[in-house]
Amino acid sequence: MSNIARHIAIIMDGNGRWATERGLRRVKGHERGAEVVRTLTTYASNHPEIEVLTLYAFSTENWKRPKMEVDFLMRLLNNYLKNETETYIRNEVRFETIGDIGRFSSALRNEIARLKERTRHFGKLTQVLALNYGSQDEIARAAKELCQKGEEITTDSLGNRIESSRFGNVDLLIRTGGEQRLSNFLLWQSAYAELFFTPTLWPDFTPDELDTIIEDFKNRQRRFGGI
Ligand code: IPE
Ligand code: IPE
Ligand code: MG
């Protein structure tokens, strides 16, 4: 029996380098990256196995970037959610988020809420955008909540409290852009994920490459500690 890629999570890295290599401003890479999100989401929604596609779009550490780049990313996200509503509807994709969006503008929060509501009945694919997301922060918050309620901390109680665990464990975790690290992404849910690092920069990533990675994943031996 080969592995099923039910939940794929992607660290979309390399936008800035893609642009810099072409003598463009970094934000041009983010623009192109957003187009790849659309292409990949459409592809995943038509894939027979993929149920959840979690995409790392903005980390709790990304606020350290120059204000101009952060502002651009917020505008890009807002426009993306507005302009791509049809893509979600046409492909029957449910839109979800993880991370603390409380720090975003109210206009952006409204846009996020609108698209979630508009797509909540769809079931071909759930696309989860990780926005102001940090895994350590999320785990600490879950532990704090259990303590405040006087509940015991066990693997199950903590795991169930973690906001993003409602989408289940990650089967296949991909990082584009050549770095081989997790950068605080889904640490709990990736305990037994298969990891795949590709040098391809995110704006150059294609459904064909995803297919190749899934084929590789199918042949990996997942043992989960057994033999
Ligand atoms: C990933 O691309 C997108 C975000 C983190 C928002 P980067 O912007 O990190 O691109 P590089 O790593 O600098 O090339
Ligand atoms: C990880 O990329 C975050 C996202 C893709 C949103 P970074 O570019 O921020 O990660 P580091 O700083 O290289 O670890
Ligand atoms: Mg990067």
Side-chain angles (χ1 to χ4, degrees):
M1 264 273 286
S2 63
N3 304 312
I4 307 280
R6 188 196 73 86
H7 185 173
I8 296 182
I10 307 183
I11 302 173
M12 311 183 287
D13 197 20
N15 293 350
R17 279 165 285 163
W18 182 91
T20 307
E21 276 176 6
R22 286 164 176 74
L24 302 169
R25 290 179 305 133
R26 288 176 54 84
V27 294
K28 286 285 162 201
H30 296 313
E31 250 168 30
R32 182 62 79 96
E35 288 172 26
V36 178
V37 171
R38 180 208 302 131
T39 310
L40 258 275
T41 301
T42 303
Y43 173 80
S45 71
N46 291 306
H47 191 281
E49 283 178 14
I50 308 171
E51 290 175 23
V52 182
L53 179 67
T54 303
L55 301 172
Y56 205 4
F58 195 87
S59 76
T60 47
E61 288 75 42
N62 286 147
W63 297 105
K64 292 179 194 161
R65 296 187 178 202
K67 183 171 184 308
M68 183 252 161
E69 182 166 337
V70 171
D71 288 349
F72 183 90
L73 285 168
M74 296 300 146
R75 273 203 308 281
L76 181 66
L77 177 62
N78 205 324
N79 291 339
Y80 181 85
L81 300 178
K82 270 205 180 80
N83 298 335
E84 296 301 328
T85 303
E86 276 312 306
T87 310
Y88 288 88
I89 295 171
R90 192 170 353 105
N91 296 296
E92 296 174 35
V93 176
R94 177 175 147 221
F95 170 68
E96 277 287 351
T97 63
I98 52 174
D100 179 11
I101 60 167
R103 200 169 156 182
F104 291 178
S105 72
S106 60
L108 184 48
R109 276 184 279 136
N110 287 341
E111 201 51 49
I112 289 168
R114 183 196 60 78
L115 191 58
K116 275 187 191 169
E117 177 56 29
R118 182 69 186 80
T119 63
R120 75 191 163 94
H121 300 296
F122 292 143
K124 254 172 86 185
L125 175 77
T126 300
Q127 182 218 51
V128 184
L129 280 193
L131 300 172
N132 191 23
Y133 177 82
S135 201
Q136 292 180 337
D137 172 62
E138 180 184 57
I139 294 168
R141 259 190 292 141
K144 197 168 153 193
E145 282 170 22
L146 286 177
C147 284
Q148 280 168 349
K149 293 191 160 204
E151 285 178 34
E152 195 189 351
I153 295 186
T154 64
T155 313
D156 280 346
S157 72
L158 186 58
N160 291 333
R161 268 271 151 189
I162 294 172
E163 188 204 358
S164 59
S165 54
R166 65 189 194 278
F167 302 109
N169 286 331
V170 175
D171 296 299
L172 172 57
L173 189 145
I174 301 166
R175 181 171 188 143
T176 63
E179 313 293 356
Q180 303 196 5
R181 56 175 169 261
L182 298 179
S183 302
N184 204 8
F185 189 45
L186 296 176
L187 302 179
W188 184 279
Q189 298 87 333
S190 299
Y192 272 103
E194 294 296 322
L195 308 181
F196 206 102
F197 300 98
T198 168
T200 304
L201 303 173
W202 177 250
D204 289 329
F205 195 70
T206 59
D208 270 355
E209 183 166 2
L210 178 60
D211 242 0
T212 308
I213 292 172
I214 293 174
E215 280 313 305
D216 178 299
F217 163 81
K218 286 196 170 303
N219 295 321
R220 290 200 185 173
Q221 281 243 336
R222 302 185 82 186
R223 285 187 288 274
F224 300 97
I227 53 172

Coordinates of all heavy atoms in Angstrom, one line a residue, residues 106-189:
S106 N -8.5 45.9 10.3 CA -9.9 45.4 10.3 C -10.4 45.1 8.9 O -11.2 44.2 8.7 CB -10.8 46.3 11.1 OG -10.9 47.6 10.5
A107 N -10.0 45.9 7.9 CA -10.4 45.6 6.6 C -10.0 44.2 6.1 O -10.7 43.5 5.5 CB -9.8 46.7 5.6
L108 N -8.7 43.9 6.4 CA -8.2 42.6 6.0 C -8.9 41.5 6.8 O -9.2 40.5 6.2 CB -6.7 42.6 6.3 CG -5.9 41.3 5.8 CD1 -6.3 40.9 4.4 CD2 -4.4 41.6 5.9
R109 N -9.1 41.7 8.1 CA -9.8 40.7 8.9 C -11.2 40.5 8.3 O -11.7 39.3 8.3 CB -9.9 41.1 10.4 CG -8.6 40.7 11.1 CD -8.7 41.0 12.6 NE -8.4 42.5 12.8 CZ -9.1 43.3 13.6 NH1 -10.2 42.8 14.3 NH2 -8.8 44.5 13.7
N110 N -11.9 41.5 7.9 CA -13.2 41.4 7.3 C -13.2 40.6 6.0 O -14.1 39.8 5.8 CB -13.8 42.8 7.0 CG -14.3 43.5 8.3 OD1 -14.4 42.8 9.3 ND2 -14.4 44.8 8.2
E111 N -12.2 40.8 5.2 CA -12.0 40.1 4.0 C -11.8 38.6 4.2 O -12.4 37.8 3.6 CB -10.8 40.7 3.2 CG -10.8 40.5 1.7 CD -12.1 40.9 1.0 OE1 -12.6 42.0 1.3 OE2 -12.6 40.0 0.3
I112 N -11.0 38.3 5.2 CA -10.8 36.9 5.6 C -12.1 36.3 6.1 O -12.4 35.2 5.6 CB -9.7 36.9 6.7 CG1 -8.3 37.3 6.1 CG2 -9.6 35.5 7.3 CD1 -7.2 37.5 7.2
A113 N -12.8 37.0 6.9 CA -14.1 36.4 7.4 C -15.1 36.2 6.3 O -15.8 35.2 6.3 CB -14.6 37.3 8.5
R114 N -15.1 37.2 5.4 CA -16.0 37.1 4.2 C -15.8 35.8 3.4 O -16.7 35.0 3.1 CB -15.9 38.3 3.4 CG -16.9 38.4 2.2 CD -16.5 39.4 1.2 NE -15.2 39.2 0.6 CZ -15.0 38.3 -0.4 NH1 -16.0 37.5 -0.8 NH2 -13.8 38.1 -0.9
L115 N -14.5 35.6 3.1 CA -14.2 34.5 2.2 C -14.4 33.1 2.9 O -14.9 32.2 2.3 CB -12.7 34.6 1.7 CG -12.4 33.6 0.6 CD1 -13.3 33.7 -0.6 CD2 -10.9 33.7 0.1
K116 N -14.1 33.1 4.2 CA -14.4 31.9 5.0 C -15.8 31.5 5.0 O -16.2 30.4 4.8 CB -13.9 32.1 6.5 CG -12.5 31.9 6.7 CD -12.2 31.9 8.2 CE -10.7 32.0 8.5 NZ -10.4 32.3 9.9
E117 N -16.7 32.6 5.2 CA -18.1 32.4 5.3 C -18.6 31.9 3.9 O -19.4 31.0 3.8 CB -18.8 33.7 5.7 CG -20.3 33.7 5.8 CD -20.9 32.6 6.6 OE1 -20.2 32.1 7.6 OE2 -22.0 32.1 6.3
R118 N -18.1 32.6 2.9 CA -18.6 32.3 1.5 C -18.3 30.9 1.0 O -18.9 30.3 0.2 CB -17.9 33.3 0.5 CG -18.4 33.3 -0.9 CD -19.8 33.7 -1.1 NE -20.3 33.5 -2.5 CZ -20.7 32.3 -3.0 NH1 -20.6 31.2 -2.2 NH2 -21.1 32.2 -4.2
T119 N -17.2 30.3 1.6 CA -16.7 29.0 1.1 C -16.9 27.9 2.1 O -16.4 26.8 1.9 CB -15.2 29.1 0.7 OG1 -14.5 29.4 1.9 CG2 -15.0 30.2 -0.3
R120 N -17.5 28.2 3.2 CA -17.5 27.2 4.3 C -18.2 25.8 4.0 O -17.9 24.8 4.6 CB -18.0 27.8 5.6 CG -19.5 27.9 5.7 CD -19.8 28.8 6.9 NE -21.1 29.3 6.8 CZ -22.2 28.7 7.4 NH1 -22.0 27.6 8.1 NH2 -23.4 29.2 7.2
H121 N -19.1 25.8 3.0 CA -19.7 24.6 2.6 C -19.0 23.7 1.7 O -19.4 22.6 1.4 CB -21.1 24.9 2.0 CG -22.0 25.6 2.9 ND1 -22.4 25.1 4.1 CD2 -22.5 26.9 2.9 CE1 -23.2 26.0 4.8 NE2 -23.2 27.1 4.0
F122 N -17.9 24.2 1.1 CA -17.2 23.5 0.1 C -16.3 22.4 0.7 O -15.8 22.5 1.8 CB -16.3 24.4 -0.8 CG -17.1 25.3 -1.6 CD1 -16.7 26.6 -1.8 CD2 -18.3 24.9 -2.2 CE1 -17.4 27.5 -2.6 CE2 -19.0 25.8 -3.0 CZ -18.6 27.1 -3.2
G123 N -16.1 21.3 -0.1 CA -15.4 20.1 0.5 C -14.4 19.5 -0.4 O -13.8 18.4 -0.1
K124 N -14.2 20.0 -1.6 CA -13.3 19.3 -2.5 C -11.8 19.4 -2.0 O -11.0 18.6 -2.1 CB -13.3 19.9 -3.9 CG -14.0 19.0 -4.9 CD -14.3 19.6 -6.2 CE -13.1 19.4 -7.2 NZ -13.3 20.1 -8.4
L125 N -11.6 20.6 -1.4 CA -10.2 20.9 -0.8 C -10.4 21.9 0.3 O -11.3 22.8 0.1 CB -9.3 21.4 -1.9 CG -7.9 21.9 -1.3 CD1 -7.0 20.6 -1.1 CD2 -7.2 22.8 -2.3
T126 N -9.7 21.8 1.4 CA -9.6 22.9 2.3 C -8.2 23.5 2.2 O -7.2 22.8 2.3 CB -9.8 22.4 3.8 OG1 -11.1 21.8 3.9 CG2 -9.7 23.5 4.8
Q127 N -8.2 24.8 1.8 CA -6.9 25.5 1.7 C -6.8 26.3 3.0 O -7.6 27.2 3.3 CB -6.9 26.4 0.5 CG -5.6 27.2 0.3 CD -5.8 28.6 -0.1 OE1 -6.6 29.4 0.4 NE2 -5.1 28.9 -1.2
V128 N -5.7 26.1 3.7 CA -5.5 26.8 5.0 C -4.3 27.7 4.8 O -3.2 27.3 4.5 CB -5.1 25.8 6.1 CG1 -5.0 26.5 7.5 CG2 -6.2 24.7 6.2
L129 N -4.5 29.0 4.9 CA -3.4 30.0 4.9 C -2.9 30.2 6.3 O -3.7 30.5 7.2 CB -3.9 31.3 4.2 CG -4.0 31.4 2.7 CD1 -4.1 32.9 2.3 CD2 -2.8 30.8 2.0
A130 N -1.6 30.1 6.5 CA -1.0 30.4 7.7 C -0.6 31.8 7.7 O 0.3 32.3 7.0 CB 0.2 29.5 8.0
L131 N -1.3 32.6 8.6 CA -1.1 34.1 8.6 C -0.8 34.6 9.9 O -1.5 34.3 10.9 CB -2.5 34.7 8.1 CG -3.0 34.4 6.7 CD1 -4.4 34.9 6.5 CD2 -2.0 34.9 5.7
N132 N 0.3 35.3 10.1 CA 0.9 35.6 11.4 C 0.9 34.3 12.2 O 0.4 34.3 13.3 CB 0.1 36.7 12.1 CG 0.9 37.2 13.3 OD1 2.1 37.1 13.4 ND2 0.1 37.8 14.2
Y133 N 1.4 33.3 11.6 CA 1.5 32.0 12.3 C 2.8 31.7 12.8 O 3.9 32.0 12.2 CB 1.1 30.9 11.2 CG 1.2 29.5 11.8 CD1 0.1 29.0 12.6 CD2 2.4 28.8 11.7 CE1 0.2 27.8 13.2 CE2 2.5 27.5 12.3 CZ 1.4 27.0 13.1 OH 1.5 25.8 13.7
G134 N 2.9 31.1 14.0 CA 4.1 30.6 14.6 C 3.7 29.4 15.5 O 2.8 29.5 16.3
S135 N 4.4 28.3 15.2 CA 4.0 27.1 15.9 C 4.3 27.1 17.4 O 3.5 26.7 18.2 CB 4.8 25.9 15.3 OG 4.2 24.7 15.5
Q136 N 5.4 27.7 17.8 CA 5.8 27.7 19.2 C 4.7 28.6 20.0 O 4.3 28.2 21.1 CB 7.2 28.3 19.4 CG 8.3 27.4 18.9 CD 9.7 28.0 19.1 OE1 9.8 29.2 19.2 NE2 10.6 27.1 19.1
D137 N 4.4 29.7 19.4 CA 3.4 30.6 20.0 C 2.1 29.8 20.2 O 1.4 29.9 21.2 CB 3.2 31.8 19.0 CG 2.0 32.7 19.4 OD1 2.1 33.2 20.5 OD2 1.1 32.8 18.6
E138 N 1.7 29.1 19.2 CA 0.4 28.3 19.2 C 0.4 27.2 20.3 O -0.6 27.0 21.0 CB 0.2 27.8 17.8 CG -1.0 27.0 17.6 CD -1.1 26.4 16.2 OE1 -0.2 25.7 15.8 OE2 -2.1 26.7 15.5
I139 N 1.5 26.6 20.4 CA 1.7 25.5 21.4 C 1.6 26.1 22.8 O 1.0 25.6 23.7 CB 2.9 24.6 21.1 CG1 2.8 23.9 19.8 CG2 3.2 23.6 22.3 CD1 4.1 23.2 19.3
A140 N 2.4 27.2 23.0 CA 2.4 27.8 24.3 C 1.0 28.3 24.7 O 0.6 28.2 25.8 CB 3.4 29.0 24.3
R141 N 0.3 28.9 23.7 CA -1.1 29.3 24.0 C -2.0 28.2 24.4 O -2.8 28.3 25.4 CB -1.7 30.0 22.7 CG -1.7 31.5 22.8 CD -2.5 32.1 21.7 NE -1.9 31.9 20.4 CZ -2.6 31.6 19.3 NH1 -3.9 31.5 19.3 NH2 -2.0 31.5 18.1
A142 N -1.9 27.0 23.7 CA -2.7 25.9 24.1 C -2.4 25.4 25.5 O -3.3 25.1 26.3 CB -2.4 24.7 23.1
A143 N -1.1 25.4 25.8 CA -0.7 24.9 27.2 C -1.2 25.9 28.2 O -1.7 25.4 29.3 CB 0.8 24.8 27.3
K144 N -1.2 27.1 27.9 CA -1.7 28.1 28.9 C -3.2 28.0 29.1 O -3.6 28.0 30.3 CB -1.4 29.5 28.3 CG -1.4 30.7 29.3 CD -0.9 31.9 28.7 CE -1.5 33.1 29.3 NZ -1.2 34.3 28.6
E145 N -3.9 27.7 28.1 CA -5.4 27.5 28.2 C -5.7 26.3 29.1 O -6.6 26.4 29.9 CB -6.0 27.4 26.8 CG -6.2 28.7 26.1 CD -6.6 28.5 24.6 OE1 -7.1 27.4 24.3 OE2 -6.3 29.4 23.8
L146 N -4.9 25.3 28.9 CA -5.2 24.1 29.7 C -4.9 24.3 31.2 O -5.6 23.9 32.0 CB -4.3 22.9 29.2 CG -4.7 22.2 27.9 CD1 -3.7 21.1 27.5 CD2 -6.1 21.6 28.0
C147 N -3.8 25.1 31.4 CA -3.4 25.4 32.8 C -4.5 26.2 33.4 O -4.9 26.0 34.6 CB -2.1 26.2 32.8 SG -0.7 25.2 32.6
Q148 N -5.0 27.2 32.7 CA -6.0 28.1 33.2 C -7.3 27.4 33.6 O -7.9 27.7 34.5 CB -6.3 29.3 32.3 CG -5.2 30.4 32.3 CD -5.3 31.3 31.1 OE1 -6.1 31.1 30.2 NE2 -4.6 32.4 31.2
K149 N -7.6 26.3 32.8 CA -8.8 25.6 33.1 C -8.5 24.5 34.1 O -9.4 23.7 34.4 CB -9.3 24.9 31.8 CG -9.8 25.9 30.8 CD -10.5 25.2 29.7 CE -11.3 26.3 29.0 NZ -12.4 25.8 28.3
G150 N -7.3 24.4 34.6 CA -6.9 23.3 35.5 C -6.9 21.9 34.9 O -7.1 20.9 35.6
E151 N -6.8 21.9 33.6 CA -6.8 20.5 33.0 C -5.4 20.0 32.9 O -4.4 20.7 32.8 CB -7.4 20.6 31.6 CG -8.9 20.8 31.6 CD -9.5 21.0 30.2 OE1 -9.0 20.4 29.2 OE2 -10.5 21.7 30.1
E152 N -5.3 18.7 32.9 CA -4.1 18.0 32.8 C -3.5 18.1 31.4 O -4.2 18.1 30.4 CB -4.3 16.5 33.1 CG -3.0 15.8 33.4 CD -3.2 14.2 33.5 OE1 -4.4 13.8 33.5 OE2 -2.2 13.5 33.5
I153 N -2.2 18.3 31.4 CA -1.5 18.4 30.0 C -1.0 17.0 29.6 O -0.1 16.4 30.3 CB -0.3 19.4 30.1 CG1 -0.9 20.8 30.3 CG2 0.4 19.3 28.7 CD1 0.2 21.9 30.2
T154 N -1.7 16.5 28.6 CA -1.2 15.2 28.0 C -1.0 15.4 26.5 O -1.4 16.5 26.0 CB -2.3 14.1 28.2 OG1 -3.5 14.5 27.4 CG2 -2.7 13.9 29.7
T155 N -0.4 14.4 25.9 CA -0.2 14.6 24.4 C -1.6 14.8 23.7 O -1.7 15.7 22.9 CB 0.4 13.3 23.9 OG1 1.5 12.9 24.7 CG2 0.9 13.5 22.5
D156 N -2.6 14.1 24.2 CA -3.9 14.3 23.5 C -4.5 15.6 23.9 O -5.0 16.3 23.0 CB -4.9 13.2 24.0 CG -4.6 11.9 23.2 OD1 -3.9 12.0 22.2 OD2 -5.1 10.8 23.6
S157 N -4.6 16.0 25.2 CA -5.2 17.2 25.5 C -4.5 18.4 24.9 O -5.2 19.3 24.4 CB -5.3 17.4 27.0 OG -4.1 17.7 27.6
L158 N -3.2 18.4 24.9 CA -2.5 19.5 24.3 C -2.6 19.5 22.8 O -3.0 20.6 22.2 CB -1.0 19.5 24.7 CG -0.1 20.6 24.3 CD1 -0.6 21.9 24.9 CD2 1.3 20.4 24.7
G159 N -2.5 18.4 22.2 CA -2.6 18.2 20.7 C -4.0 18.8 20.3 O -4.1 19.5 19.3
N160 N -5.0 18.4 21.0 CA -6.4 18.8 20.6 C -6.6 20.3 20.8 O -7.5 20.9 20.1 CB -7.4 18.0 21.4 CG -7.4 16.6 20.9 OD1 -7.1 16.2 19.8 ND2 -7.8 15.7 21.9
R161 N -5.9 20.9 21.7 CA -6.1 22.3 22.0 C -5.4 23.2 20.9 O -5.8 24.4 20.8 CB -5.4 22.7 23.3 CG -6.3 22.6 24.5 CD -7.0 23.9 24.7 NE -8.3 23.6 25.3 CZ -9.3 24.5 25.5 NH1 -9.1 25.7 25.2 NH2 -10.4 24.2 26.1
I162 N -4.4 22.7 20.3 CA -3.6 23.5 19.4 C -4.5 23.9 18.2 O -5.2 23.0 17.6 CB -2.4 22.7 18.9 CG1 -1.4 22.6 20.1 CG2 -1.7 23.5 17.7 CD1 -0.2 21.7 19.8
E163 N -4.6 25.2 17.9 CA -5.6 25.7 17.0 C -5.5 24.9 15.6 O -6.5 24.5 15.1 CB -5.4 27.2 16.8 CG -6.4 27.9 15.9 CD -6.0 29.1 15.3 OE1 -4.8 29.5 15.5 OE2 -6.7 29.7 14.5
S164 N -4.3 24.8 15.1 CA -4.2 24.2 13.8 C -4.4 22.7 13.7 O -4.4 22.2 12.6 CB -2.8 24.6 13.2 OG -1.8 24.1 14.0
S165 N -4.5 22.1 14.9 CA -4.6 20.6 14.8 C -5.9 20.2 14.3 O -6.1 19.0 14.0 CB -4.2 19.9 16.1 OG -4.9 20.5 17.1
R166 N -6.9 21.1 14.1 CA -8.2 20.7 13.6 C -8.1 20.2 12.2 O -9.0 19.6 11.6 CB -9.2 21.8 13.8 CG -9.0 23.0 13.0 CD -10.0 24.1 13.5 NE -10.2 25.2 12.6 CZ -9.4 26.3 12.6 NH1 -8.3 26.3 13.4 NH2 -9.6 27.3 11.8
F167 N -7.0 20.5 11.5 CA -6.8 20.0 10.1 C -6.0 18.7 10.0 O -5.7 18.3 9.0 CB -6.2 21.1 9.3 CG -7.0 22.4 9.3 CD1 -6.5 23.5 10.0 CD2 -8.2 22.4 8.7 CE1 -7.3 24.7 10.0 CE2 -9.0 23.6 8.8 CZ -8.6 24.7 9.4
G168 N -5.7 18.2 11.2 CA -5.0 16.9 11.2 C -3.5 16.9 11.0 O -2.9 18.0 10.7
N169 N -2.9 15.8 11.1 CA -1.4 15.7 11.0 C -1.0 15.9 9.5 O -1.7 15.6 8.6 CB -0.9 14.4 11.5 CG -0.9 14.3 13.0 OD1 -0.8 15.3 13.7 ND2 -1.1 13.1 13.5
V170 N 0.2 16.4 9.4 CA 0.7 16.7 8.0 C 1.3 15.4 7.5 O 2.1 14.7 8.2 CB 1.8 17.8 8.1 CG1 2.5 17.9 6.7 CG2 1.2 19.1 8.6
D171 N 1.0 15.0 6.3 CA 1.6 13.8 5.7 C 2.9 14.2 5.0 O 3.9 13.5 5.1 CB 0.6 13.2 4.7 CG -0.7 12.7 5.4 OD1 -0.5 11.8 6.2 OD2 -1.8 13.2 5.1
L172 N 2.8 15.3 4.2 CA 4.0 15.7 3.4 C 4.2 17.1 3.6 O 3.3 18.0 3.4 CB 3.6 15.4 1.9 CG 4.5 15.8 0.8 CD1 5.9 15.3 1.0 CD2 4.0 15.4 -0.6
L173 N 5.4 17.5 4.0 CA 5.8 18.9 4.2 C 6.9 19.3 3.2 O 7.9 18.6 3.1 CB 6.3 19.1 5.6 CG 6.5 20.6 6.0 CD1 6.1 20.8 7.5 CD2 7.9 21.1 5.8
I174 N 6.6 20.3 2.4 CA 7.5 20.7 1.3 C 8.0 22.1 1.6 O 7.2 22.9 2.1 CB 6.8 20.7 0.0 CG1 6.2 19.3 -0.4 CG2 7.7 21.2 -1.1 CD1 5.2 19.4 -1.5
R175 N 9.3 22.3 1.4 CA 9.8 23.7 1.5 C 10.5 24.0 0.2 O 11.4 23.3 -0.2 CB 10.8 23.9 2.7 CG 11.3 25.3 2.7 CD 12.1 25.7 4.0 NE 12.3 27.1 4.0 CZ 12.3 27.8 5.1 NH1 12.1 27.3 6.3 NH2 12.6 29.1 5.1
T176 N 10.1 25.1 -0.5 CA 10.8 25.5 -1.7 C 11.9 26.5 -1.2 O 12.0 26.9 -0.1 CB 9.8 26.2 -2.6 OG1 9.3 27.4 -2.0 CG2 8.7 25.3 -3.0
G177 N 12.7 26.9 -2.2 CA 13.7 27.9 -1.9 C 15.1 27.5 -1.4 O 15.9 28.3 -1.1
G178 N 15.2 26.2 -1.2 CA 16.5 25.6 -0.8 C 16.9 25.5 0.6 O 17.8 24.8 1.0
E179 N 16.3 26.3 1.5 CA 16.6 26.2 2.9 C 16.1 24.9 3.5 O 15.0 24.5 3.1 CB 16.1 27.4 3.7 CG 16.2 28.8 3.2 CD 17.7 29.2 3.1 OE1 18.5 28.5 3.6 OE2 17.9 30.3 2.6
Q180 N 16.9 24.3 4.4 CA 16.4 23.1 5.0 C 16.1 23.3 6.5 O 16.9 22.9 7.3 CB 17.5 22.0 4.8 CG 17.7 21.8 3.3 CD 18.5 20.6 2.9 OE1 18.7 19.7 3.8 NE2 18.8 20.4 1.7
R181 N 15.0 24.0 6.7 CA 14.6 24.2 8.1 C 13.0 24.4 8.1 O 12.5 24.6 7.0 CB 15.3 25.4 8.7 CG 15.1 26.7 7.9 CD 15.8 27.9 8.7 NE 15.9 29.1 7.8 CZ 17.0 29.5 7.1 NH1 18.1 28.8 7.2 NH2 16.9 30.5 6.3
L182 N 12.5 24.4 9.3 CA 11.0 24.5 9.4 C 10.5 25.9 9.7 O 9.3 26.2 9.6 CB 10.5 23.5 10.5 CG 10.8 22.0 10.2 CD1 10.2 21.1 11.3 CD2 10.2 21.6 8.8
S183 N 11.4 26.8 10.2 CA 11.0 28.1 10.4 C 9.7 28.3 11.2 O 8.8 29.0 10.9 CB 11.0 29.0 9.2 OG 12.2 28.9 8.5
N184 N 9.6 27.4 12.3 CA 8.4 27.6 13.2 C 7.1 27.2 12.6 O 6.0 27.8 12.9 CB 8.4 29.0 13.8 CG 7.7 29.1 15.1 OD1 7.3 28.1 15.7 ND2 7.5 30.3 15.6
F185 N 7.1 26.3 11.6 CA 5.8 25.9 10.9 C 5.3 24.5 11.4 O 6.1 23.5 11.3 CB 6.1 25.9 9.4 CG 4.9 25.7 8.5 CD1 3.7 26.4 8.8 CD2 5.0 24.9 7.4 CE1 2.7 26.3 7.9 CE2 3.9 24.7 6.6 CZ 2.7 25.5 6.8
L186 N 4.1 24.4 11.9 CA 3.4 23.2 12.2 C 4.3 22.1 12.9 O 4.3 21.0 12.4 CB 2.8 22.6 10.9 CG 1.8 23.5 10.2 CD1 1.3 22.8 8.9 CD2 0.5 23.6 11.1
L187 N 5.0 22.5 13.9 CA 6.0 21.7 14.5 C 5.3 20.4 15.1 O 5.8 19.3 15.0 CB 6.7 22.4 15.6 CG 7.5 23.7 15.2 CD1 8.2 24.3 16.4 CD2 8.5 23.3 14.1
W188 N 4.2 20.6 15.8 CA 3.5 19.5 16.4 C 2.9 18.5 15.4 O 3.1 17.3 15.5 CB 2.3 20.1 17.3 CG 1.6 19.1 18.1 CD1 0.6 18.2 17.6 CD2 1.8 18.7 19.4 NE1 0.2 17.4 18.6 CE2 0.9 17.7 19.8 CE3 2.6 19.2 20.4 CZ2 0.8 17.1 21.0 CZ3 2.6 18.7 21.7 CH2 1.7 17.6 22.0
Q189 N 2.3 19.1 14.4 CA 1.6 18.2 13.4 C 2.5 17.6 12.4 O 2.1 16.7 11.6 CB 0.5 19.0 12.6 CG -0.6 19.6 13.5 CD -0.2 21.0 14.0 OE1 1.0 21.3 14.2 NE2 -1.2 21.8 14.3

